[in-house]
Amino acid sequence: MCRIYGTFNVRSEEAELRRVSDLMHHGGPDAQSFAHRADWALGNNRLSIMDPEGGAQPYRLGRVTVVFNGEIYNHQELRERLTGLGFHFDDHCDGSILPALYTTYGERFPEHLDGMYSVAVMDLRSVPRMVLATDDAGMKPLYYHWEGNAGRLHFASELPALLGFAGVPAEEDETGLDAYLTSKTPFGDRTMFRGVRVLPPAATVVVDHRDGLRIKHRPMAHEQGLRPAAGRTLEESGTQLRDLLSREVSRLLVADAPVAAVTSGGLDSSLVTALAAQAFRASEGAGSLHTFNVAYTGTWPSDERAYAAEVARSVGARHHQVEIDPATFPDLMTDVVRHLGQPNADPITLSTFSLFRAVRDAGFKVALTGDAADELFGGYSRMTQAVAAAHGEDWAGAYLDHLAAVPRALRESLYTDEYAASVRTAEPAVPADVPQTLRLDLGTRLRRITAVEQRYRLPAYHLRRVDHLSMASSVEVRLPFCQPSVTRFAATLSDSHKLVPGQGVKRALYRAAEGLVPRSVLERPKQPFTLPITAMLVPGQRLWTLAQDALDPATLRADGRIRPERVAALFAEQAARPDDTVALALWSLMSHQLWRQEFFGAAGARLPLTAAAPVLQEAA
């Protein structure tokens, strides 16, 4: 696991590369290196997980140079295949096979990878070209700035690092606020910075001097024409899914560093925990699995610590209970905003950041989680409501409003006339493909919704958050539910094996968990794993004071996009009658203002992105 960065058709000085590297030092503290020539550069910060003594980057084979972030789970199989073709490898690190794989298959090399990754290749064998690739789920993001007229490319694994390049301006996309409030973080390839984009999942990019930058989209699992298996019973689906997940969890436990599991107390993480504990027991000398759960000091709604502890006891794991004091939230908000690089309206960000910091403090560099199961197997209430909606109802519009940080009607009441006018003429807040996918009669409602969840919401809103906030503490998160075999299997399930209104959600997954997960977890109502902000965002709490300071009327008036009197009305309403919708609206607006302060300063000026540089070793 690493952080990568680089340039094409750009002259990069060593000092600049060191600055960019330093801004991601937390994601790769074990080694830093780069390769650069007159008009290109590739850099890497390494978090050593596989073969710590080998795997030094950049990798080279002749005139091909590669840097890599992630894990390749089928690297041994690929190494054997490539050895048979005459290639030789000096170590057993997973990324070491990439130059030979690229030399053999060219830009189609990602089709042979099973894992989570972002890869950058500099190919100087004939016409110089750079090739970038992201994994099929979007687990390892890559941000870039492309100057089409000049043919210049900068890229990095994190936004603050990308902005550390002198050629990448830090300018706010002012209509990004609307995109953020519409979907809790920008969807598609959009970011909150003007001219800065993020590669979508399953993308291969080729850049050269002749044709510029071209993005090729590889088909994701739900786009491969897979159809429900005929005649398969729910019981059979559950059994097959359990066996599949058991194999994948066992594969993802292989590491040359300590591995733990995150256990929220819900179905998804509990099943991953149970399967991981089972694999630990089967592995001689592996010891006990360690599990981690996060909760908050005091008594708050939706506390899941008892369920998580019960799961850990039932599988014989050594359990770690992490507690966050709400009094520390203001300081945490600053750290979270900086590491994310742009606002994410889910309050779980504070929990996620604190949890992985505790995981690393306990000595673990790898953690398995249950993320992405809801998107694959139909676990959200918004999905059930859309499927259950009567014919003729605007179920698609209602579904999209469920994705919002602030519902449409409330958003429109918050905007000033000037900002509302600019939003109407700007790039759509939600990519045009999203409503088209939902409304075109291509498959069932649930299959259309699942397609949107997997291509847009999961990578933008969920996976980037997990990646940035875990790597902030030098922890690699592995996600069994994002494995290609699992996403393909989910695409072969019938709707009735996912959700049936009135009968349940994630039905095949519940069947898979029977006998492995305690009945108390299987029979409890589903609840989101998040911060209870409705209870915390009230007068007398630290969050209330922080929100009022961030959303000061003078600040909003100077910004000119949000009506101060409407925000004051939200504060009054929340103080009198705490409400989920109002609390999330205030939280989202506060998070946006804190992001602006972090990256642009109180007056909107760019903040210096500098820090003490680590010692870097230039690759020979």
Side-chain angles (χ1 to χ4, degrees), residues 24 46 48-49 75 149 208 288 294 308 326 398 420 510 516 580 593 598 611 616:
M24 298 188 290
R46 187 182 184 195
S48 301
I49 302 296
H75 68 96
N149 293 336
D208 60 31
S288 299
V294 64
Y510 273 96
L516 291 173
D580 291 347
Q593 283 299 323
E598 179 68 22
L616 287 182

Side-chain angles (χ1 to χ4, degrees), residues 387-403:
V387 170
H391 180 73
E393 288 186 28
D394 183 17
W395 63 267
Y399 164 79
L400 290 174
D401 223 21
H402 275 294
L403 299 180

Side-chain angles (χ1 to χ4, degrees), residues 238 241-246 249 261-279 289 311 314-315 368-370 373 377 480-481 486 506 508-518 521-522:
L241 179 54
R242 180 173 61 244
D243 293 344
L244 175 60
L245 284 170
S246 179
V249 167
V262 171
T263 307
S264 70
L267 168 67
D268 312 330
S269 65
S270 296
L271 178 54
V272 169
T273 297
L275 293 172
Q278 196 175 72
L289 176 71
V311 170
S314 73
V315 301
L368 268 62
T369 77
F377 297 102
F481 287 108
V486 178
K506 294 188 290 191
L509 199 59
Y510 273 96
R511 288 299 178 96
E514 287 181 353
L516 291 173
V517 174
V521 172
L522 294 178

